[in-house]
């Protein structure tokens, strides 16, 4: 039996739109799901943005204040895609109102914020999903299986990279993203949070770490109006960039494996260059987000001069079969969000968590806080 679930989206920038489109697509890709999302409400404080979203996507109600969503009895689940500094307030309020939440990472500005939201979700007995979308790629699921079954032996070391140029232009506006009070730890929360989640998802818990950070574009012009995405602003009053453009981090895992995680938002010439290289005692596995459906795999008994083969993921890997019937058909970023929406809705339907949870958000945020401490003080620190 199929029933409907009233959903809302709070914050309708690019990510709010991605969540909305994912809800619309879920029934087509996952017809076996017993819940069908119904778009009830959208909220955004920018004048006219929620009304435009309602008209385009069919939300029944539009509001500027997210509190109207929290008070709406028709809404049973909420996507929270507002700026980071609002995550704690909105996330805890929605959970306390008895609503399931799908919240974008990094779930606030600090591990304390993430813990507060996780605590509210646990106390209310609702489901909580987090936007660590890269773990949803079928190739990442295939890599995890290769590692778990010992195909590459015991993992010895990993390199995880997240390089982008979205903040590389010196005329990029000084939005909330670059303020410590509202944007938190900059590239740590924005990109390195994904890297930590991938590291944990693939290799297990991090025992200790040592990090270094830098700001490479120290000043930006303040915007003169509302912004969305990564707006440029030339000629305005300059202000300081308060949080990190770059982080590099050495990792030690509970398993004994070693790792390097590097993330940068001002990498000229790099567009979404995200991926990993994982080496084991018998082989290796490589993944590049820009070639999302491929894995480079080396396995066998040669050890020296052992070749690397390209493996195209297919219906046997992750949720690939919900999108394509045969290997090597392309998937895209938005598909990962459809998978995320499906797992969120399935969690609500079955009362069991599927996919990334608030616990994953807390553990990622704890590692990010440890990176910041290490960069400030120097030396190795424990994320515990």
């Amino acid at each position: 039996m199929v029933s409907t679930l009233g959903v809302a989206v709070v914050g309708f920038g690019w990510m709010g739109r991605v969540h909305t489109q994912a809800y619309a697509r879920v029934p087509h890709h996952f017809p076996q799901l017993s819940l069908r999302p119904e778009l009830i409400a959208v909220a955004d404080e920018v004048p006219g943005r929620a009304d435009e979203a309602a008209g385009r996507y069919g939300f029944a109600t539009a509001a500027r204040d997210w509190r109207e969503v929290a008070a709406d009895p028709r809404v049973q689940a909420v996507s929270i895609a507002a700026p980071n500094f609002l995550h704690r307030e909105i996330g805890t309020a929605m959970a306390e109102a008895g609503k399931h939440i799908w919240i974008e990472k990094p779930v606030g500005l600090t591990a304390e914020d993430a813990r507060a939201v996780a605590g509210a979700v646990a106390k209310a007995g609702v489901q909580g999903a987090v936007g660590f979308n890269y773990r949803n790629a079928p190739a990442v699921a295939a890599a995890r299986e290769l590692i778990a079954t010992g195909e590459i032996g015991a993992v010895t070391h990993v390199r995880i990279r997240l390089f982008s140029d979205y903040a590389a232009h010196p005329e990029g506006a000084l939005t909330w993203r670059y303020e410590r009070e509202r944007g938190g730890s900059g590239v740590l929360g924005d990109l390195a949070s994904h890297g930590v989640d991938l590291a944990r998802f693939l290799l297990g818990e991090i025992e200790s770490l040592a990090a270094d950070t830098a700001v490479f574009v120290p000043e930006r012009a303040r915007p003169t109006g509302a912004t969305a995405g990564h707006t440029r602003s030339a000629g305005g009053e300059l202000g300081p960039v308060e949080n990190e453009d770059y982080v590099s981090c050495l990792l030690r895992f509970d398993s004994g494996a070693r790792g390097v995680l590097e993330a940068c938002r001002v990498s000229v010439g790099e567009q979404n260059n995200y991926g990993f290289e994982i080496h084991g005692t018998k082989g290796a596995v490589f993944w590049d987000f820009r070639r999302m459906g491929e894995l480079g795999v080396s396995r066998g008994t040669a050890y020296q001069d052992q070749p690397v083969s390209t493996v195209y993921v297919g219906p046997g890997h992750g949720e690939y079969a919900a999108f394509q019937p045969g290997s090597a058909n392309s998937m895209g970023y938005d598909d990962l969000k459809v998978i995320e929406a499906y797992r969120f809705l399935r969690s609500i339907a079955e009362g069991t968590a599927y996919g990334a949870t608030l616990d994953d958000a807390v553990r990622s945020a704890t590692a990010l806080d440890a990176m910041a401490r290490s960069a400030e003080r120097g030396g190795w620190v424990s994320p515990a």
Side-chain angles (χ1 to χ4, degrees):
M1 180 178 177
V2 176
S3 57
T4 59
L5 183 82
V7 301
V9 176
V10 174
F12 209 83
W14 168 66
M15 188 54 69
R17 175 176 59 79
V18 172
H19 277 232
T20 302
Q21 292 173 166
Y23 284 129
R25 291 178 58 194
V26 161
H28 303 288
H29 293 283
F30 299 95
Q32 75 277 17
L33 188 64
S34 62
L35 285 178
R36 292 290 182 270
E38 180 182 1
L39 299 178
I40 296 297
V42 57
D44 194 294
E45 65 177 10
V46 176
R49 187 179 285 176
D51 290 322
E52 181 182 355
R56 182 175 180 182
Y57 292 100
F59 289 96
T61 303
R64 288 187 62 182
D65 192 335
W66 59 264
R67 293 169 185 82
E68 294 182 31
V69 174
D72 192 333
R74 299 172 299 168
V75 174
Q76 298 160 282
V78 181
S79 280
I80 301 171
N84 299 349
F85 65 94
L86 296 172
H87 285 187
R88 178 173 181 166
E89 181 182 12
I90 298 175
T92 54
M94 293 298 178
E96 288 168 359
K99 304 182 191 306
H100 307 283
I101 64 170
W102 175 13
I103 186 168
E104 277 303 314
K105 55 81 212 167
V107 189
L109 304 180
T110 64
E112 181 182 353
D113 286 349
R115 289 191 192 97
V117 179
V121 165
K123 183 176 181 180
V126 296
Q127 294 295 322
V130 180
F132 288 127
N133 42 266
Y134 298 108
R135 65 156 63 190
N136 298 327
V140 174
R144 188 178 193 227
E145 184 177 355
L146 277 172
I147 295 165
T149 57
E151 288 289 315
I152 65 169
V155 172
T156 53
H157 60 100
V158 58
R159 184 165 74 104
I160 299 173
R161 68 187 186 282
L162 299 109
F163 299 143
S164 189
D165 64 356
Y166 66 78
H169 202 291
E171 293 181 359
L174 187 68
T175 65
W176 61 268
R177 296 177 183 277
Y178 304 102
E179 299 175 5
R180 182 73 61 182
E181 185 176 346
R182 297 196 296 167
S185 56
V187 77
L188 275 74
D190 192 19
L191 294 181
S193 58
H194 283 298
V196 171
D197 185 66
L198 282 173
R200 293 185 55 251
F201 183 69
L202 293 165
L203 303 180
E205 298 303 332
I206 297 168
E207 184 267 332
S208 58
L209 57 84
D212 183 35
T213 62
V215 177
F216 295 132
V217 183
E219 290 186 319
R220 296 181 182 273
R222 301 184 187 280
T224 57
T227 61
H230 304 287
T231 307
R232 292 185 190 177
S233 180
E237 178 188 358
L238 293 178
V241 172
E242 299 174 349
N243 53 27
E244 296 82 355
D245 287 330
Y246 170 85
V247 60
S248 61
C249 186
L250 299 176
L251 304 169
R252 293 173 178 166
F253 293 87
D254 285 351
S255 66
R258 298 297 194 262
V260 177
L261 190 159
E262 193 176 15
C264 185
R265 65 188 181 187
V266 297
S267 298
V268 175
E270 302 281 12
Q271 297 87 38
N272 299 320
N273 182 0
Y274 309 151
F276 54 75
E277 303 154 18
I278 301 173
H279 294 267
T281 53
K282 297 194 300 182
V285 60
F286 311 91
W287 181 67
D288 186 328
F289 167 67
R290 297 164 301 178
R291 302 176 70 91
M292 193 167 69
E294 301 179 15
L295 280 180
V297 180
S298 178
R299 51 188 167 187
T301 58
Y303 298 98
Q304 188 176 4
D305 298 326
Q306 184 163 287
V308 177
S309 300
T310 298
V311 175
Y312 297 102
V313 297
H317 301 118
E319 305 292 351
Y320 183 97
F323 298 85
Q324 301 293 348
S327 300
N329 284 293
S330 297
M331 291 178 62
Y333 175 90
D334 284 15
D335 296 329
L336 303 185
K337 285 303 197 185
V338 175
I339 294 171
E340 205 165 273
Y342 162 65
R343 290 176 175 168
F344 174 49
L345 296 170
R346 184 182 177 190
S347 298
I348 296 170
E350 300 182 15
T352 300
Y354 294 93
T357 66
L358 267 300
D359 180 65
D360 293 309
V362 170
R363 291 177 183 272
S364 176
T366 300
L368 299 182
D369 283 2
M371 289 180 195
R373 293 199 308 273
S374 174
E376 180 181 358
R377 305 171 188 173
W380 289 85
V381 300
S382 171

